[in-house]
Amino acid sequence: MKKAMKWIVVLAVLAGVGYWYYNAKVKKVEEAKPSYDRAKVERKDLRTTVESTGEVEPRNRLDVKPPIAGRLEELLVDEGDSVVKGQILGWVSSTERATLLDAALAVSKDELEYWENLYKPSPLVSPIKGTVIARNFEPGQSISANDAVVVIADDLIIVANLDETDVGQVKNEQSVEVTLEAYPDREFAGVVEKIAYDAKTVSNVTMYEVDVRPDRVPSFVRSGMTANLLFVIEEKEGALVLPASAIMEQADAKTASKTGGRPAGSSASGGSGGRPDFSSMSPEERAQAMTQRMKERGMSDAEIKERLAQMAGGGGRPGGKGGAKKGAATVSYVFVASGNPDQPEQLVVKTGMTDGSYTEILEGLEEGDEVLIQKISLGSRKSSSSGSSPLMPSIGGGRGGPR
C-alpha cells in the first residue's frame, strides 16, 4: 500500500513538472509564432471628410432706422417677410406732425383728415433686398433716429470655424453637407464660399472662419441656429480597398519585394546582446522585439498595448510613418500567404486615398485577392513567473492589476 502511494506521488510530481515544462517552454514558443487574420480586396465607396460646427448668420445684416425722430404711424412688414430694395416698410411722423395730429383729433375727425392730407408722414424704405428677421417696434411707439425699427438680412449663410490643421484641406466651391441641431434629420447641401485670411485664437487654438453658402436655404433655417458641417475633401465610388491595418510601409524599397519574406539581415533580437536594431526589422519582428524589451523594463500590459497600437498603423515608432526617416522614400506592401505559414511573403502595392479605415489599392492586387493581417499579441500576463514551480501557490497578478 505504501509503495503504491509512493508511485502515485511520483507520477503526480512528474505530471506537474511536465505541465509546467509545456507552459514554460513549448507553449511559449507556440505563442511567440505570429498569427494572422485574413482580408480580401473588395470594392467600397471611399470618402474623406473634415467635420466642424458653425452658426447660421446673415451675410449682410442691416438695421433699418427712421429718417427722423417721432412716432411710428404704420409698419407694413413682419418677421419672415421678403422685401425688395426701395420697398416702403412703414410710415413715420415727425415729432411736430405727431403733435399737430393729436391736437386736430381733439377738435374733430374732419380736422384730423385735413391735416393728415396736408402734412404727409415720412416713409421707412428698405435699402436692400432680403428678409425681415426682426421687428423691434409697433405702430404708435415713439422712436429716435438711432432706433432700428426692423432688421433685414439679405442671405443666410453658415459660418464655421476650422482648425489650422484642417483648413489646408478646404478650398472654395468644395461640397459641404449641413445639418442643424434643431433639425438633425433634414440635411441640405452647400459649398464653401470664402475662407478667411486672418486667423483668430479660440481657447489657445488657431482657427479660421469659413463661410458656407447653402445651395438652397430651406424654410426652416433661422439666423443663430447651430449647424454641423461635413466638408467633403475627396470621394471615390467603387474603389478597390483593403483594411488600413493590412497596409505596411518600409523605408527601403529593396527589402519589400514580391519574392521577399523578411528583410535581409533582420532578426527578432537584432544581433547578439545590446539594443536591437529596430531600423532593419520588419514590422512584426519590431513589434515582438519591442514587446520583449518593454516587458523586461517592467511595463504593464496596458502600457505595452498603447505603445504597440501606435506602431500598428504602419509598423513605425510614435510620430513616424512606417518607421521611415523623415524625407525618406517609402514603399507600401502587404503580407500574402506563402509555402511557409509562419513566414508570409511581402507584396509591394501602390496605394491611393484612405478614409482611415480602408485604403485604396491602385496596383499590385485585384478584387478578391486575399492578404494577411498580423495580430499583435501581448503574450501571457504571468510570463515573468514562468520559471516558478507549478506546485508553488500563485501570488497575485503582475503590474497593471487584473484584467
Side-chain angles (χ1 to χ4, degrees), residues 45-95:
D45 296 340
L46 287 183
R47 185 170 69 160
T48 56
T49 59
V50 170
E51 295 183 3
S52 181
T53 58
E55 185 176 344
V56 178
E57 297 180 6
R59 179 184 288 107
N60 293 304
R61 177 190 174 99
L62 187 64
D63 295 339
V64 182
K65 299 178 180 180
I68 55 175
R71 183 171 66 196
L72 181 64
E73 296 291 351
E74 189 176 7
L75 193 57
L76 305 175
V77 294
D78 202 351
E79 291 182 2
D81 291 347
S82 297
V83 296
V84 296
K85 184 177 180 179
Q87 179 179 336
I88 295 177
L89 307 178
W91 297 95
V92 180
S93 290
S94 64
T95 303

Side-chain angles (χ1 to χ4, degrees), residues 234-245:
E234 186 179 7
E235 57 184 343
K236 184 174 290 187
E237 296 182 358
L240 282 175
V241 300
L242 273 176
S245 57

Side-chain angles (χ1 to χ4, degrees), residues 86-123:
Q87 179 179 336
I88 295 177
L89 307 178
W91 297 95
V92 180
S93 290
S94 64
T95 303
E96 293 80 5
R97 183 178 188 272
T99 303
L100 181 61
L101 293 182
D102 290 342
L105 179 61
V107 175
S108 66
K109 289 186 178 181
D110 292 339
E111 188 74 9
L112 175 63
E113 290 178 2
Y114 171 79
W115 287 108
E116 283 180 337
N117 293 327
L118 185 65
Y119 196 169
K120 296 296 184 181
S122 299

